[in-house]
Amino acid sequence: MDTQDVIRTFVDFFTSRRHRRLTGTSLLSPPGDPVLFTTSGMHPLTPFLEGLPHPLGDRLVGVQRCLRTTDLEEVGDPTHLTVFEMLGSWSLRSYDGSQSLRWGFELLCDGFGVDPGLLHVTVFGGDDQVGPDTGSLDTWRSLGVPVEPTRTHNWWSNGPTGPCGPDSEVFVWTGDGPPTGSPTTDDRWLEVWNHVMMRYVRHGDGTLTPLSDSTVDTGMGLERLLMFLQGKRSVFETDLLSPWTGQLPWELPERSRRLVVDHLRSSVVVIGDGVAPSNTGRGYVLRRLLRRTLTTLWRGDWTRTLSDLPEPLLRHTGSHFGLRTDGVREVLEREERRFRSLVSRGRVLVPRHPKPLTEQDLRYLHETHGIPRGLVMLLRQDDGPTP
């Protein structure tokens, strides 16, 4: 299955079960939302998960693009991305968690052809406030899927207060040979889908109040699912990202190459959603992505430039996400010129601080002169010409 096959199979499965497809998948969160970007498939649906009727009804399905910076330091490994897509299904007080799990098992095994023997799940095993999620535990056991109860890994909340509840995470085996261990003991188990049963509201004092009607929110990472279904060793080798890894014009170590691919592709999407680089808010996230990219590129060669980025990569990403990319290259090149100017200033300022640099030195250079830690360290290592 290629990317479009997977998306179509997922959406068709749920629309055939009376789910209405959501449209509109911008990275930008609604006005008044304190979160800068959409971070999950359920994020735009928060008011409806809390009880507001949705205009499309009580069963929904969609594909939502998301951006997270919490895992930024993990980008470069086989599975983490800054911008990614979530395949989601939602029951707004229509059916229960057990039905969601059964449909999930059916879609994975019959729709996507996953061998049931390569599945393992985790469920909430209970804590001091709430007992174990016996409904999910019994459902998975009836389906013959191995289950591992956990105490802290399987509780979902949308913050310190608000809707929350137990979840059930579905893992697939990515190792060679037959599966061994469990998701908490062997990292070759890859999480692909999470089913959240929102049964409570948490209050400011930490107490929980049961909801009269629970909702079910599921989210499946598109790129990770593609990685598994296509038999790849990383999300960067799937048909969705391989054009980037194959056409990137610079020779880089594998982890650095993945970081550059991720950050540039993510930047294209952010710019396409209408964000420009700046020193605050969403623009600062974009600026940070681009400067991390340039710092990585220049570590091996100061002559590398974003103007060498092939145009087909911009069009490929724009086409997939339904975005215009007309002005993207101009934004990238303008931000590079600005950063090169900062490098020139840094070449004067950084040598004034004796080695080794202290945390206070690094903080001063960043907060006073805007020179990030990565660039400081790069300038310390480099004795080459000014870029």
Side-chain angles (χ1 to χ4, degrees), residues 3-58:
T3 298
Q4 293 309 312
D5 291 332
V6 169
I7 292 174
R8 184 169 50 251
T9 298
F10 183 88
V11 172
D12 287 352
F13 179 90
F14 283 101
T15 54
S16 70
R17 288 156 179 79
R18 293 199 305 106
H19 291 65
R20 301 284 298 277
R21 181 166 186 177
L22 297 168
T23 58
T25 63
S26 172
L27 283 176
L28 309 188
S29 49
D33 193 322
V35 179
L36 295 176
F37 292 100
T38 298
T39 58
S40 64
M42 60 73 58
H43 190 160
L45 294 173
T46 300
F48 309 103
L49 295 170
E50 292 177 340
L52 190 69
H54 195 283
L56 291 181
D58 57 6

Side-chain angles (χ1 to χ4, degrees), residues 207-358:
T207 59
L208 297 173
T209 300
L211 291 167
S212 56
D213 296 299
S214 64
T215 61
V216 183
D217 156 42
T218 85
M220 177 152 56
L222 172 62
E223 296 83 2
R224 290 187 176 191
L225 180 63
L226 288 171
M227 170 185 160
F228 176 77
L229 294 178
Q230 295 176 8
K232 305 301 183 181
R233 64 188 183 95
S234 83
V235 295
F236 297 93
E237 298 174 7
T238 65
D239 73 299
L240 182 58
L241 279 88
S242 59
W244 277 89
T245 54
Q247 297 180 49
L248 206 68
W250 311 289
E251 289 296 326
L252 298 165
E254 184 173 44
R255 190 176 182 91
S256 296
R257 189 174 187 82
R258 289 172 177 173
L259 182 146
V260 169
V261 165
D262 169 84
H263 283 14
L264 284 178
R265 180 175 177 268
S266 298
S267 296
V268 171
V269 181
V270 173
I271 296 168
D273 262 337
V275 177
S278 70
N279 289 327
T280 60
R282 296 183 179 116
Y284 178 72
V285 174
L286 174 59
R287 174 160 287 169
R288 187 180 176 197
L289 290 175
L290 290 175
R291 291 186 174 184
R292 281 170 59 92
T293 299
L294 290 166
T295 300
T296 302
L297 289 177
W298 292 341
R299 193 169 292 129
D301 184 350
W302 284 107
T303 66
R304 290 169 178 158
T305 173
L306 298 183
S307 61
D308 292 335
L309 196 62
E311 187 65 30
L313 294 181
L314 307 183
R315 293 198 299 267
H316 174 269
T317 298
S319 174
H320 175 75
F321 287 99
L323 299 169
R324 293 178 61 91
T325 57
D326 302 11
V328 169
R329 183 175 296 279
E330 180 182 349
V331 174
L332 296 177
E333 294 178 358
R334 184 169 60 245
E335 186 63 14
E336 180 182 337
R337 289 193 296 270
R338 180 187 291 269
F339 196 43
R340 283 188 183 275
S341 175
L342 184 62
V343 170
S344 297
R345 182 149 44 103
R347 283 188 175 276
V348 175
L349 294 169
V350 171
R352 294 178 182 174
H353 294 264
K355 295 182 179 179
L357 289 170
T358 66

Side-chain angles (χ1 to χ4, degrees), residues 350 357 362 371-382:
V350 171
L357 289 170
L362 292 168
I371 305 173
R373 177 189 294 261
L375 179 57
V376 173
M377 306 314 293
L378 178 60
L379 291 173
R380 277 295 196 188
Q381 296 169 6
D382 183 74

